[in-house]
Amino acid sequence: MRDKLFIDGQWAAPAEGGTFPVIDPATEETIFQAPAGTARDIDHAVRAARHAFDHGPWPRLSGKERAGCLRRIADIILARKEELARLEVRDNGKPLPEAIWDMEDTAGCFNFYAGLAEEMDEHPEETIVLTEPRFSSKVVREPVGVAGAIIPWNYPLLMASWKVAPALAAGCTMVLKPSELTPLTALELGAIVEEAGLPAGVLNIVTGLGADAGQPLSEHSGVDKLAFTGSVPTGAKIMAAAARDIKNISLELGGKSPFVVFADSDIDKAVEWIMFGIFWNQGQVCSATSRVLVEESLYPALLERLVEEAARIRIGNGLADGTLLGPLVSKGQYDKVLAAIERGRQEGATIAGGGKRPAGLNTGYFLEPTILTDMAEDSFVWKEEIFGPVVCVKPFRDEEDAIRMANNSRFGLAAAVMSKDRVRCERVARAFRAGIVWINCSQPTFTEAPWGGYKQSGIGRELGRWGLANYLETKQITAFESDEPWGWYIKN
Ligand code: NAD
């Protein structure tokens, strides 16, 4: 475990010398004291990134050269996959097979953007056809400059890669501020990029608290672009901080995504995908389909089956064999989720399954997979993101009713629909007001496809070529090609 910040290619103790505890959520033990960066470290890191951008080789390399470095980063992550995954489990709590999957996805993300960096060499400029024959015009794409990335704790290294990989592919330099709840693999990323030969100052990693390190990064005038993933309230603060300097921003925020299940669905498949949609990663997934809408005629049978299957999910330490549900990430998150369940109960919801600490697991932030029913459409649990293994299930009358209920949310990150009728699925997919729609499944995420939300779920898209575009400026170069005088002021 690394106890220093990674700034300008060096491992540096935080300027104010502080630390914050890293707690294993399965054991509640403090496993590490992480370096607490503050405004001085952020300033140091931004200056390093600025210098590397203005004077260093990175933005001036060919796409192919940058791709070589990105591929080396991917190779090192794959070579260290098991060890990094174990570190992620101790930090975040998730089951080991999920963490291994995350490491593979992280490496895949670096490889994908390596490919896009190479493609940039093949298409260095785009000719624009003008109606005015005396002029020529072309468009070139250039890196946006110094990027600041602030990320959450639910997929610690994977969320870092969604920002670091496209930023580096584009030729930007970056300051990364990981979540204070899960700083360990992000610090390892410093060692990985060092080994891969990334030039000094291109990626700087400053761990620290949101107010002490995140806020100074969002306010720093040396930052050209801010990319944030996290909660809506913090997103609003970042947006306000960015407004002062008109910083380019992209925001990936929360959700309360619906999953509409029609009565012709296979009940086994529906239950499996509903569970994957909300219990995977302990439900701490921004796109979790936490509101399940089931057609009336299927509702009683589906609910019974869901309660039965959810109760079978093996809960335990993420490092133990066979665990499919680990602890929530922190005491704060655990208390928040328990309080939401209690609020649901007080508002009249029925706890159809789970809702409490599993028997025999007296230490750790463990919670049974929880199924709530009978809540009102304007209740807290139906409307607000709980970010835990808690699903709200409600019956619907017909397609129109389902679409109305699904879209009745201030969020619009994801949505899912299940039916044997593909024409209906396509129709409902188009009707959802959400940036990510799944048909006959929920959650599978691919690096090639755009990721982001409508409404209060965010601004912009990550992943795919949209993710690269976040870190590129568009410049038009227009030339007067005629030998004739312009003849506006000076007439011959
Ligand atoms: P959070 O907003 O509390 O924290 C996110 C990051 O912001 C952390 O690094 C934190 O230190 C930092 N931060 C906190 N206050 C700050 C401030 N004033 N200025 C600058 N930075 C600050 O969110 P979280 O609890 O870490 O993550 C959970 C949230 O993230 C959920 O709402 C979830 O839906 C969302 N999320 C969204 C996506 C997506 O792709 N849309 C993905 C993962 C998580």
Side-chain angles (χ1 to χ4, degrees):
M1 293 186 221
R2 315 265 157 187
D3 63 355
K4 298 215 164 45
L5 310 173
F6 185 65
I7 301 177
D8 207 11
Q10 308 285 323
W11 292 95
E16 292 180 22
T19 60
F20 60 93
V22 177
I23 293 162
D24 179 338
T27 62
E28 300 183 32
E29 280 164 12
T30 298
I31 54 171
F32 190 59
Q33 292 291 337
T38 56
R40 281 162 64 195
D41 304 297
I42 290 290
D43 185 54
H44 180 190
V46 173
R47 284 171 193 276
R50 183 87 261 159
H51 186 80
F53 186 78
D54 291 344
H55 306 290
W58 190 252
R60 291 154 198 93
L61 294 179
S62 66
K64 188 163 182 281
E65 288 165 314
R66 287 201 294 272
C69 191
L70 290 175
R71 290 194 201 285
R72 285 196 295 281
I73 294 171
D75 288 346
I76 299 168
I77 290 169
L78 285 181
R80 294 181 58 188
K81 179 172 83 174
E82 178 84 20
E83 168 216 341
L84 289 169
R86 286 178 176 276
L87 197 58
E88 202 81 303
V89 175
R90 294 191 71 203
D91 209 359
N92 166 282
K94 65 176 69 197
L96 184 60
E98 290 191 28
I100 288 177
W101 194 357
D102 289 357
M103 296 308 121
E104 287 166 355
D105 272 357
T106 302
C109 185
F110 280 100
N111 277 326
F112 174 78
Y113 282 105
L116 291 198
E118 284 161 349
E119 271 181 31
M120 285 167 72
D121 290 349
E122 289 162 28
H123 309 286
E125 54 189 51
E126 182 192 342
T127 303
I128 304 294
V129 179
L130 302 176
T131 51
E132 220 315 352
R134 290 177 297 167
F135 292 85
S136 72
S137 188
K138 63 184 177 186
V139 165
V140 296
R141 310 297 306 273
E142 294 179 345
V144 89
V146 174
I150 301 176
I151 57 170
W153 44 260
N154 55 346
Y155 292 90
L157 195 60
L158 185 61
M159 284 296 110
S161 74
W162 284 22
K163 293 176 174 44
V164 174
L168 298 192
C172 288
T173 61
M174 181 171 255
V175 177
L176 172 69
K177 207 302 276 174
S179 168
E180 56 272 40
L181 296 178
T182 53
L184 299 181
T185 49
L187 287 170
E188 285 305 315
L189 184 60
I192 291 166
V193 300
E194 198 177 23
E195 187 184 337
L198 189 74
V202 175
L203 178 65
N204 305 275
I205 301 163
V206 180
T207 49
L209 307 186
D212 297 347
Q215 193 176 330
L217 180 58
S218 64
E219 289 171 348
H220 202 295
S221 58
V223 172
D224 300 301
K225 195 229 153 48
L226 274 175
F228 172 74
T229 297
S231 62
V232 173
T234 310
K237 284 186 197 162
I238 304 258
M239 203 168 166
R244 202 190 55 200
D245 297 328
I246 319 291
K247 285 190 184 78
N248 174 329
I249 55 165
S250 45
L251 303 173
E252 304 284 351
L253 308 176
K256 188 77 184 181
S257 300
F259 191 164
V260 173
V261 181
F262 285 97
D264 64 351
S265 301
D266 177 287
I267 200 163
D268 284 348
K269 288 182 182 153
V271 167
E272 166 81 344
W273 282 113
I274 290 169
M275 296 206 298
F276 194 70
I278 186 64
F279 300 139
W280 186 47
N281 206 27
Q282 295 64 247
Q284 301 165 135
V285 182
C286 51
S287 56
T289 34
S290 50
R291 289 187 295 146
V292 172
L293 294 148
V294 186
E295 196 167 356
E296 270 168 359
S297 59
L298 183 66
Y299 181 80
L302 184 136
L303 184 63
E304 191 184 328
R305 195 58 211 288
L306 179 62
V307 170
E308 208 178 284
E309 290 296 335
R312 291 207 180 104
I313 294 176
R314 186 171 321 168
I315 310 169
N317 188 316
L319 291 174
D321 269 354
T323 293
L324 284 175
L325 192 85
L328 298 188
V329 71
S330 67
K331 171 89 166 67
Q333 188 64 15
Y334 189 61
D335 290 346
K336 222 171 98 185
V337 173
L338 288 176
I341 295 170
E342 179 52 27
R343 181 149 175 200
R345 209 181 51 76
Q346 281 172 12
E347 282 181 341
T350 304
I351 299 176
K356 56 186 189 311
R357 177 179 276 281
L361 286 172
N362 300 324
T363 310
Y365 310 125
F366 294 100
L367 174 65
E368 291 172 341
T370 300
I371 298 154
L372 304 181
T373 57
D374 306 321
M375 71 294 295
E377 244 191 282
D378 62 355
S379 64
F380 179 85
V381 286
W382 184 256
K383 280 179 15 201
E384 298 302 327
E385 185 178 51
I386 297 175
F387 224 60
V390 182
V391 64
C392 295
V393 192
K394 248 179 141 34
F396 71 83
R397 216 175 31 251
D398 55 20
E399 187 176 315
E400 196 188 338
D401 189 33
I403 292 167
R404 182 199 57 76
M405 286 164 81
N407 285 339
N408 183 16
S409 172
R410 67 188 169 101
F411 300 112
L413 185 57
V417 55
M418 182 171 273
S419 166
K420 287 195 177 118
D421 179 348
R422 274 305 297 268
V423 174
R424 174 157 62 186
C425 287
E426 293 288 339
R427 195 168 57 231
V428 173
R430 299 299 179 113
F432 284 141
R433 297 285 299 156
I436 303 147
V437 174
W438 285 289
I439 293 178
N440 291 333
C441 63
S442 174
Q443 303 310 311
T445 299
F446 300 93
T447 314
E448 300 80 6
W451 183 271
Y454 285 24
K455 302 192 254 183
Q456 291 186 23
S457 290
I459 297 176
R461 295 291 178 271
E462 293 194 295
L463 297 185
R465 57 190 160 81
W466 300 266
L468 184 70
N470 273 331
Y471 298 94
L472 292 170
E473 286 283 15
T474 302
K475 178 186 277 180
Q476 64 152 302
I477 302 178
T478 297
F480 186 54
E481 303 286 2
S482 167
D483 286 336
E484 296 297 314
W486 185 232
W488 186 267
Y489 295 109
I490 301 173
K491 314 235 185 240
N492 293 322

